[in-house]
Structures are given as structure tokens and as C-alpha cells.
């Protein structure tokens, strides 16, 4: 379990054009995300697991923990040290991680980075198909979680070897929440959305205690930047600066 406690492993996703969004019309939970192309001018990296309590403790407090539950109860402001979405974090979890590794480029993923990584080439609405029949193979959700949080990496990974991209905990994105179609907001997948509803950010993936449409790849929701919840975690991304 050292890759869930002492080390942080990320998967490289190559630069290029990717298609994301869904065939659904109108809002996908809170905002539209029609089928569209998104471009990445650089390779980027996404952590294989959600950040665990053990990893968080090692980075922030330099203490030892064996908990491989997702770290929860930390706000977007705490994770990023209140840096604006277009700024590189110098405080908070991501700022400390940048400082300790001397690699300026760790941050939360943008919404488009997350969806490309979550889909891993999948064109269905949900992991496993266009309904939730097979969702439990890939995700902890209301259909199988028992309404409790689960250890990371205990469901089947996606085609790129990434675990828990859907379910278990909501994942905050780097972006400000905006109710316009993602297809018009973020054609450059590396650039965060900086305009929208003041004080709110995008969360995605659904959690262990949610159901239905929240687990679609194309769904997103709004969350207060200062809010911390028991079903909201975090995931690392990295873009070389």
C-alpha cells in the first residue's frame, strides 16, 4: 500500500485532441456539457488514486498514517491555499506539494482534464455502459456502498489504470463553476475556467451516497470554495511548467 500512503503515483496522458461531453441535451445535473473536442497542448498527469488520508498527512503535517480512505473535509481554499484558479498554488496542500517536490505544476485537474482521464477513451454515459447496471464494478455509489466511505483502489480501474474516477467522493476541480455549456467554456483543456458564480467551484464524479445522473462522465455540480464535506475529497494533477 505504499502507493496509497508514502508515495504519489500519477499517470501520463498525452497531449492532443480528445472528445468529451455527452449526447444528452440541457443540463447534466447542473450545467450542459455537449459532445465536443478539447485540446491539450502539453502532456498532463493525473494521480492513480484519490489522495488518501495518509498521503495528505505526510505532505501537510509530515506525519505517518496508514489510512487509505480518501482525505475528506478539506475545502478548495485549503487544498489550493486560496490561490485563484489561474494561479499556481504556493500554500495549502498543493502549494506544500509543489515546494516539497520542487516541481511547480501540482494542482487540481481542470474539469476537462478530469473527464478525459475518467473516460480513458470510453464513449458511454457511465463507466460500464449507458446506465448504472454495471457501475458498481468501477465505483462506490448508493447501489453498493452501504452509505459509507471506502478505501481507495478497491474497485476496477478504468482502461488507463485510474481508480475511483467516479464515485466514493466528489472531486473538486480547479475551475470556477459556470452554468454555460462546457463546450464553450473550455476548449483548451489546460486552462481553468475563471469566470462564473463567485465563490463556487466545480465538483464532479458523485460520491458513495449519491445516485443516478451524478455519476455520468458529463455531469458537474457547484460547490462552495470554502466548504468542507465528508463526501468531498481531492485528486492531484500535474502539468510541467
Amino acid at each position: 500500500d505504499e502507493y496509497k500512503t508514502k508515495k504519489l503515483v500519477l499517470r501520463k496522458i498525452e497531449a492532443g485532441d480528445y472528445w468529451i461531453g455527452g449526447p444528452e441535451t440541457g443540463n447534466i445535473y447542473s450545467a450542459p456539457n455537449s459532445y465536443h473536442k478539447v485540446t491539450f497542448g502539453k502532456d498532463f498527469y493525473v494521480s492513480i488514486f484519490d489522495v488518501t488520508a495518509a498521503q495528505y498527512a505526510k505532505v501537510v503535517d509530515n506525519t505517518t498514517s496508514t489510512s487509505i480512505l480518501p482525505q475528506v473535509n478539506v475545502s478548495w481554499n485549503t487544498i489550493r491555499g486560496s490561490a485563484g484558479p489561474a494561479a499556481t498554488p504556493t500554500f495549502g496542500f498543493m502549494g506544500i506539494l509543489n515546494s516539497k517536490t520542487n516541481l511547480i505544476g501540482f494542482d487540481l485537474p481542470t474539469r476537462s482534464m478530469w473527464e478525459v482521464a475518467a473516460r480513458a477513451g470510453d464513449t458511454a454515459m457511465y463507466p460500464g455502459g449507458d446506465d448504472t447496471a454495471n457501475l458498481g464494478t468501477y465505483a462506490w455509489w448508493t447501489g453498493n456502498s452501504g452509505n459509507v466511505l471506502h478505501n481507495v483502489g478497491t474497485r476496477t480501474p478504468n482502461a488507463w489504470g485510474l481508480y475511483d474516477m467516479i464515485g466514493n467522493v466528489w472531486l473538486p476541480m480547479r475551475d470556477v463553476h459556470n452554468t454555460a455549456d462546457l463546450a464553450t467554456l473550455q476548449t483548451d483543456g489546460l486552462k481553468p475556467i475563471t469566470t462564473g458564480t463567485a465563490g463556487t467551484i466545480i465538483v464532479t464524479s458523485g460520491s458513495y451516497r449519491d445516485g443516478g445522473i451524478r455519476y455520468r462522465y458529463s455531469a458537474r455540480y457547484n460547490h462552495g470554495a470554502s466548504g468542507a464535506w465528508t463526501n468531498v475529497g481531492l485528486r492531484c494533477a500535474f502539468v510541467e511548467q
Side-chain angles (χ1 to χ4, degrees):
D1 284 342
E2 64 178 344
Y3 296 115
K4 303 174 184 176
T5 54
K6 300 177 182 178
K7 297 180 179 180
L8 181 65
V9 183
L10 297 93
R11 180 78 66 205
K12 183 172 84 169
I13 298 172
E14 294 184 352
D17 295 336
Y18 295 87
W19 288 87
I20 61 173
E24 309 97 329
T25 58
N27 289 352
I28 310 304
Y29 196 36
S30 76
N33 182 9
S34 56
Y35 189 58
H36 66 282
K37 182 175 72 174
V38 62
T39 299
F40 296 87
K42 291 182 178 180
D43 298 341
F44 65 95
Y45 299 77
V46 174
S47 57
I48 289 177
F49 304 110
D50 294 336
V51 173
T52 65
Q55 290 169 329
Y56 192 90
K58 185 170 182 62
V59 170
V60 173
D61 302 318
N62 201 30
T63 57
T64 300
S65 168
T66 59
S67 174
I68 58 173
L69 288 169
Q71 176 67 43
V72 294
N73 277 325
V74 287
S75 70
W76 187 87
N77 287 338
T78 299
I79 294 166
R80 303 190 68 253
S82 298
T88 298
T90 55
F91 298 99
F93 175 82
M94 293 298 177
I96 297 169
L97 187 58
N98 281 324
S99 177
K100 285 188 172 182
T101 59
N102 199 29
L103 294 170
I104 306 304
F106 283 105
D107 207 332
L108 295 171
T110 67
R111 177 58 182 72
S112 294
M113 289 167 67
W114 174 85
E115 187 170 338
V116 167
R119 285 186 177 277
D122 191 3
T123 59
M125 291 186 184
Y126 300 87
D130 284 334
D131 56 33
T132 59
N134 298 310
L135 182 60
T137 300
Y138 302 94
W140 291 113
W141 69 298
T142 49
N144 65 351
S145 70
N147 205 36
V148 296
L149 188 65
H150 289 263
N151 288 338
V152 304
T154 51
R155 299 286 86 192
T156 300
N158 70 14
W160 292 351
L162 301 173
Y163 293 82
D164 307 311
M165 292 299 287
I166 296 286
N168 211 21
V169 288
W170 285 97
L171 295 173
M173 303 289 102
R174 188 175 171 181
D175 313 271
V176 173
H177 186 260
N178 189 311
T179 57
D181 194 329
L182 189 66
T184 64
L185 291 170
Q186 199 166 62
T187 55
D188 181 340
L190 297 178
K191 289 185 177 180
I193 300 165
T194 58
T195 60
T197 306
T200 67
I201 53 93
I202 293 173
V203 291
T204 194
S205 89
S207 79
Y208 65 90
R209 64 188 195 209
D210 298 296
I213 196 171
R214 297 167 179 83
Y215 301 106
R216 291 187 185 183
Y217 291 121
S218 54
R220 70 186 191 272
Y221 193 50
N222 61 295
H223 185 63
S226 60
W229 300 91
T230 57
N231 65 334
V232 180
L234 69 149
R235 201 172 195 108
C236 286
F238 178 82
V239 180
E240 187 172 0
Q241 304 299 302

